[in-house]
Structures are given as structure tokens and as C-alpha cells.
Amino acid sequence: MNEAGNAAVSVLVNRAELAWWSALSNTSDKSAFLGAWLALQAGQLPRVRDAVLVLGEPDTGPFEPVAHFPQDGAAAAALYDTVNESLADREVAVTLDGQRLVIAYPVLLAGRLHGVAAFQTAPQPPEPLIQKLRWGVGVLESWLVQRADRGSEQSVERLMTVINSVAKALKEGGSKDVALTLATDLATRLDCDRVSIGFRNDGRARVYALSHSSKFVHNTNLIHAVAEAMDEAIDQNTLICLPQDRDRTLQSRAHQKLGREFGNQSLLTIPFTPDGEAKGAMVFERPDDRPFDAQDIELCQSIVVLVGRILYQRRQQERPFWIRGRDAVLRECGRLFGARYIGRKLLVLALLLVLLFGVAVPGPFRVTATATVQGIIQRSLAAPFDGYVGDAAHRAGDVVKKDEVLATFDTRETELELLRAGNLEVQYRRQAEEAMAQGNSAAAAIAQAQARQASAQIQFYREQIARAALKAPFDGILVSGDLSQQLGEAVKRGQELFKISPMDRYRLWLDVDDREIDDIQVGQTGRVALAAMPDQQIAFTVLRVVPLAQVQEGKSVFRLEARLDGDALPALRPGMEGVGKIDIGRRSYFWIWTHGFVEWFRLKWWDWFQ
């Protein structure tokens, strides 16, 4: 979109907002006011899709929708479900799923339920929206209060002053700029010569914003006098108004000094207490001929109650993180060593006891490692010659006895070769006898040599047939090998067909993380719990540390060979896995809990800074 188009959209948006503000100022038209309030409140919240305002007779109802946003749309069913929940509980109701966030905020006045304002937005954290609704609903509550007893145009002006003050306090920008704009606007609207906003830090009030002054020096006499007036009202936790309070028992010496030295004898100072404790104050100064009456004081109180909380919270959010951290620590220390907060004190006491126990009491320190059971002997059975698998009686997992046939090879071709070699031997021997009878010694020698060759072939074929049956060399279990799916397939000489391991002699392999290997020594003992027998813990003794690291699952480990002890050996099988714990010695529980992190930190410190 070109610049002209952007400008046109901006003008339309500004006109719409101006129209809402214009309708908001017309408090005599209920529907226009409520529609404008809902539209402006929706504009204060990010990514609002639709909204509805439901009002009715306090507590009794019936409660009906009086305004929608957008004005030409109808609220979604999810809005009314959350509205009904808020009406029933008289509390804030929140519905959050993967597609929408719905917040329903009740409108309560003097404990009586007047209605609910509900907003549907895109999914987001609900707390900031609830905070803004708390401020915005205050405007609606103020309007309801004023509507209940308004009899003059002055009430309308006062309400507009409060609304505009809240709107300026909620505007974008830094808290200091917002406070300056607000102070200047209040000075103009309330016919004040000067309006000051201050916050209390470390027990002393400090002027934060001064109307009509974008910059001011804190060590001037005026600023000191205003700060002392704020301290005077905050210390007494009440508003101070001159000249009306001259005859009261209140301490007003700082106010009298401010009026006497700087020319404004009509003073009004109102503290604000957003967290139940005075955090600051606002000072209003007028000429001598314009003293503050009861309505002025009430209006200023309404403004300070609303905008004081907003400004304080905005200022708190803008503080540097180290200051927020310091204040949080001081606040928690105050709660810990002050009155109340019994649960917090008990929790800290429990943590101290756990820490003392960890430092003072030693416990067994063990190194954890993944464990695998293997047989001490693993014999491989290979194909004795090139041939074809004829039969497979056993496969991996079978328990076999010594000399039990595991598989056999097809010997039909060998038997035919054996028969052919036998016939050749008979033929050559007959030729040798005939040559001897004829006196042909050379031919006889050749025939005898061929006969011996045929005899050797016969012996070879007989041995090959004898070796065609693959037998177990000892009692054990087949660890690997399954020829039942390879019947008739060709195998090569030396190809591994089975792997067998004895069932009465096992060893344990442990994989220890390289960070723990420095604590391992030959001769240390421990216990292992296997996944197949988690209720039994088998003792073992470390026999050897393989001095070569291996990478497993992205981390370096060292392998340990250990001897299994105990009476659970008959139930073991090669390939069983579990968790082993190696006894290192006794250390304090605090060292056991923290040594991993400490060693990691030492390594990173050396890597980063050394």
C-alpha cells in the first residue's frame, strides 16, 4: 500500500477513535457510552477478536448484552460460556486453548455484581490483559457510580476528567513521560498552578514529575519543599488540604512552608497506596482565590486512586533487573523475619535442616553405570566348508548339551563324489595289477599313484561328510545364530553360523561416564540390578578397567570388566542389561548432591576464563 493509502487508513482509525471518545463523553446516551467504552477498552488490549459487555440489575439481573465489539458483529458462543462462569462465580473467568483466549471480568460495586465484560483474543498470557482490564473496568465502575447519582453537568466533567486521566496514564511511552503529560493535563483541567507526582524511595519522597516542566533540578528549594509536603501526607497516611486543615490536629508544617514560600496557599496532597502501603503522593496547588471544595477533593481522590496505581506499576516494571532483584530479596527477607508468613518460615527452616543434614552427615557414594551380562567364553561355530544348509535343529536362545547337533549340511553331492572316488580307486588298482602282470613297471607305478590319489579323495569326502553335522563343543546356550530361515541357502567356509556361551560362568561389563572414571579402581565392589530381575541385586567386583574411551549415545564412557558373585547366577542369561552401582566410599550428602555440578562448572570456568 502506498503512502497515501496508509495516511487514509490512519485518518480513518483516528476518526473512529475520536468518535468513540466523543461518544464516551456523552454519558447521557447509555448505549453510545457503553459501546464506546467497550471499543476503547478493546483497543487497549492486544489482538482482540470480539468482545461483549453484559449488564443488568445488581446481583438479581437479568443480565443482557448491551454492547458488542465489533459493533456490527455478534459475540461468539465461547464468550457467553465464560460470561456465565464469571456471573456464577462473581470472579474473573479465563478460558485458554490452542485457538483463543477468553477473559470475563466482573463489574463489582460495593460487593454487588452489575455485569461482566468479556474479550476474546488470540492465545497469549492472560495476566497482562487482566491487569489492563482491572484499570479499564475502574472507569466503567466510576461511570456506574456517577450514573447512580448524577444531577448536573459538573458530574459529567468530573467523570471525563477521571477517564482522560486514566487514558493518559495508560498511553504508550516511558512512565516518566506519561507522568509529566498527566500532571500537565491535570493542572490544566483542574485550574491548578502546579501538579506534582512523587514516589517514595528508601523512606523519602522524591518528585517524579512536575507539570509544565520536562526537566527540573532535584536540589532546588521548590522540589525539596514539594517532597517534604509529600512525606508529611504519606507519614500520616491521609490527605492534607490547606487552608481547610489548618485547625485540624494534623501536622501540616511542610504544607504551610510550601504555600508561604512559593505563593500558592491552596494545597491538596493525596497519598496513593497501590499495595496497601503508601508508595507516593500527588500535590495539587491552586491560587489563593480557588480553594479546594468537597467535590474537588473527591474528584482528585478518584483520580489519584486510579492513576496512582497505574503509574506505580508502570514505574516498577521499568526498573533495571538488578533493582527488581534487590527489592525482591529485601521483600522476601522482610516476610521471612517479620510477622505472619508462617508457611514461608517453616519452608526455610526445613531447607536449612536439609542443608545441615547434607553437610554434617556422610553417606555412601556410588557411581552409577549401565551394565551388560556376557559369558566368560563365547565360542563361534563356523561353516567347515562351502555347502548348503540342510537342517537346523536349534537357534539363538536354545540351551544345548555337548555334542548335540545344531545344524547339518546337505551331503548328497559329497556322497556322489565319494562314490565316484571309490570307483576310480578300484579302477586304478586293477590297471596297476594288469601293468604288473605285463611287466610294464612304469604304467603300474602311474596306476598306483592314481589309486592313492583316489584313496585320499575318498578319505577327504568321508571327513567332510562327518563334519557336515555342526555340534555343540560344550554345554551352554546359543547366544546368536538362526539357520531355520536359511534352509537350502549356500554358506561359505569360515562363515559364522552360531555363537555359544556356557551358562555357569559370566562376567559383567559396566559403562562408566568419563567424568566418574577417576573414582574407579580395580578391586572395588558394587551391586547390579538387572531389568529382568529388578528385585534382586547381585554383587560384583571390578577386575579390569579398559583404558580406552568409547562413544555411546553421544557421550564418552569407559568399560569395566567385573566378576559376578552371589547365588543368582543360574538365572542369568547373556545379554541381560541393568544398572550397576559401584561403591566408592563415604562422602557428605551435600558433596554427593553437588559434586557433578561443581565439576562441570570448574571445567566450564577453565574453558571460558583461563
Side-chain angles (χ1 to χ4, degrees):
M1 184 180 292
N2 56 26
E3 296 182 359
N6 291 332
V9 173
S10 176
V11 169
L12 290 176
V13 172
N14 293 336
R15 287 180 178 176
E17 186 173 354
L18 289 174
W20 291 332
W21 280 110
S22 177
L24 196 66
S25 65
N26 185 15
T27 56
S28 60
D29 189 344
K30 176 181 177 181
S31 60
F33 177 87
L34 296 177
W37 178 87
L38 186 64
L40 289 171
Q41 184 62 59
Q44 294 289 333
L45 305 180
R47 295 184 287 175
V48 172
R49 296 174 179 171
D50 55 352
V52 64
L53 177 62
V54 177
L55 294 178
E57 290 297 324
D59 289 339
T60 60
F63 296 98
E64 298 178 351
V66 296
H68 293 90
F69 177 84
Q71 294 182 354
D72 56 349
L79 271 176
Y80 289 111
D81 293 339
T82 312
V83 166
N84 292 332
E85 181 181 350
S86 180
L87 288 173
D89 298 338
R90 302 168 65 93
E91 294 179 353
V92 177
V94 177
T95 302
L96 177 60
D97 56 25
Q99 299 179 347
R100 67 181 65 87
L101 166 68
V102 179
I103 299 178
Y105 197 100
V107 182
L108 295 169
L109 285 176
R112 304 185 69 188
L113 181 64
H114 285 251
V116 170
F119 298 83
Q120 178 178 264
T121 73
Q124 57 184 296
E127 290 79 6
L129 276 66
I130 295 174
Q131 184 65 31
K132 291 186 177 181
L133 281 176
R134 182 176 295 116
W135 299 334
V137 170
V139 175
L140 183 59
E141 293 172 352
S142 299
W143 178 81
L144 291 173
V145 171
Q146 295 295 333
R147 181 177 174 82
D149 186 22
R150 69 179 181 191
S152 65
E153 291 296 327
Q154 185 177 5
S155 298
V156 177
E157 282 185 31
R158 293 169 58 197
L159 180 59
M160 283 303 303
T161 303
V162 174
I163 293 173
N164 280 281
S165 299
V166 172
K168 290 187 179 298
L170 290 173
K171 67 178 293 188
E172 296 293 333
S175 61
K176 198 171 187 66
D177 295 334
V178 171
L180 173 61
T181 303
L182 176 63
T184 302
D185 182 73
L186 288 177
T188 303
R189 290 179 177 275
L190 301 178
D191 296 330
C192 295
D193 287 345
R194 188 165 41 242
V195 174
S196 307
I197 302 175
F199 294 96
R200 202 164 207 193
N201 292 324
D202 300 327
R204 300 290 296 176
R206 184 179 178 88
V207 177
Y208 192 67
L210 196 66
S211 62
H212 307 98
S213 300
S214 59
K215 295 182 180 180
F216 56 87
V217 180
H218 284 278
N219 58 1
T220 60
N221 294 334
L222 172 61
I223 300 302
H224 281 304
V226 172
E228 290 175 358
M230 291 179 179
D231 279 328
E232 197 169 60
I234 292 173
D235 290 339
Q236 299 176 83
N237 196 24
T238 184
L239 67 86
I240 298 178
C241 183
L242 295 184
Q244 291 91 323
D245 291 338
R246 290 185 185 275
D247 299 330
R248 293 176 62 187
T249 57
L250 294 174
Q251 179 63 255
S252 61
R253 189 173 302 169
H255 284 75
Q256 294 177 17
K257 176 183 177 182
L258 175 62
R260 183 174 60 252
E261 294 184 359
F262 297 97
N264 291 318
Q265 298 293 331
S266 296
L267 300 173
L268 175 62
T269 303
I270 304 175
F272 49 85
T273 58
D275 296 332
E277 180 183 355
K279 299 296 184 181
M282 295 181 64
V283 179
F284 302 86
E285 301 179 51
R286 276 183 177 177
D288 298 349
D289 58 348
R290 286 293 311 277
F292 293 93
D293 57 18
Q295 292 183 345
D296 294 333
I297 295 174
E298 183 180 354
L299 174 61
C300 292
Q301 281 183 300
S302 301
I303 293 173
V304 172
V305 167
L306 292 174
V307 304
R309 177 184 293 273
I310 297 172
L311 292 176
Y312 174 74
Q313 292 183 351
R314 293 187 64 155
R315 184 170 178 267
Q316 292 294 101
Q317 294 170 358
E318 293 178 2
R319 295 176 304 163
F321 71 91
W322 60 84
I323 295 180
R324 294 200 300 270
R326 181 203 63 183
D327 292 346
V329 171
L330 293 177
R331 181 173 61 254
E332 293 302 321
C333 290
R335 292 175 178 177
L336 181 61
F337 298 105
R340 299 183 301 167
Y341 301 101
I342 301 300
R344 194 183 306 265
K345 295 178 174 63
L346 293 177
L347 177 61
V348 173
L349 180 60
L351 291 176
L352 289 176
L353 291 176
V354 170
L355 180 62
L356 181 62
F357 171 82
V359 172
V361 179
F365 172 50
R366 301 183 179 95
V367 171
T368 303
T370 57
T372 304
V373 176
Q374 291 184 0
I376 291 182
I377 300 174
Q378 286 192 349
R379 180 76 57 83
S380 294
L381 302 180
F385 50 80
D386 294 344
Y388 298 91
V389 179
D391 186 24
H394 296 280
R395 56 183 176 178
D398 290 349
V399 178
V400 296
K401 299 293 185 180
K402 182 179 180 181
D403 295 330
E404 187 173 352
V405 177
L406 306 179
T408 58
F409 290 86
D410 188 353
T411 59
R412 288 176 296 180
E413 184 177 347
T414 307
E415 290 174 353
L416 291 176
E417 292 293 332
L418 176 62
L419 181 60
R420 186 179 68 83
N423 293 334
L424 288 175
E425 182 186 17
V426 172
Q427 179 181 350
Y428 291 144
R429 290 191 182 279
R430 186 176 300 162
Q431 292 177 359
E433 291 175 356
E434 292 177 354
M436 291 287 293
Q438 296 175 1
N440 189 352
S441 59
I446 293 173
Q448 289 176 354
Q450 290 175 334
R452 287 195 298 272
Q453 182 180 7
S455 177
Q457 289 180 343
I458 292 172
Q459 183 65 27
F460 171 76
Y461 290 136
R462 286 176 179 173
E463 290 181 0
Q464 201 170 29
I465 292 173
R467 294 165 59 192
L470 207 61
K471 299 180 180 180
F474 49 78
D475 296 348
I477 183 172
L478 294 178
V479 178
S480 64
D482 183 5
L483 299 180
S484 62
Q485 305 298 323
Q486 298 177 336
L487 298 180
E489 291 187 8
V491 293
K492 295 292 184 178
R493 180 180 179 181
Q495 179 180 340
E496 183 181 288
L497 303 179
F498 293 99
K499 185 176 287 186
I500 187 172
S501 178
M503 297 181 59
D504 55 349
R505 299 174 64 191
Y506 294 100
R507 61 184 172 184
L508 187 69
W509 287 102
L510 300 163
D511 295 328
V512 178
D513 194 289
D514 59 350
R515 293 178 298 180
E516 307 282 357
I517 194 62
D518 189 50
D519 297 317
I520 305 299
Q521 295 180 2
V522 175
Q524 290 175 332
T525 60
R527 305 186 73 82
V528 61
L530 300 174
M533 300 181 294
D535 56 332
Q536 300 185 37
Q537 297 181 358
I538 306 172
F540 63 84
T541 303
V542 177
L543 299 179
R544 185 167 68 96
V545 178
V546 179
L548 181 65
Q550 302 178 5
V551 178
Q552 294 184 1
E553 298 180 356
K555 62 180 182 179
S556 298
V557 297
F558 283 85
R559 304 210 78 187
L560 312 181
E561 182 181 355
R563 180 185 68 247
L564 286 169
D565 306 321
D567 43 356
L569 295 179
L572 297 181
R573 293 293 182 272
M576 285 185 172
E577 296 182 349
V579 177
K581 292 183 178 292
I582 306 169
D583 297 325
I584 304 301
R586 298 186 68 81
R587 306 282 194 280
S588 69
Y589 279 104
F590 183 79
W591 184 90
I592 295 174
W593 298 335
T594 61
H595 80 282
F597 172 76
V598 172
E599 292 174 358
W600 173 86
F601 182 76
R602 285 176 178 173
L603 180 61
K604 292 301 180 182
W605 181 270
W606 186 87
D607 182 25
W608 295 338
F609 303 107
Q610 298 297 324

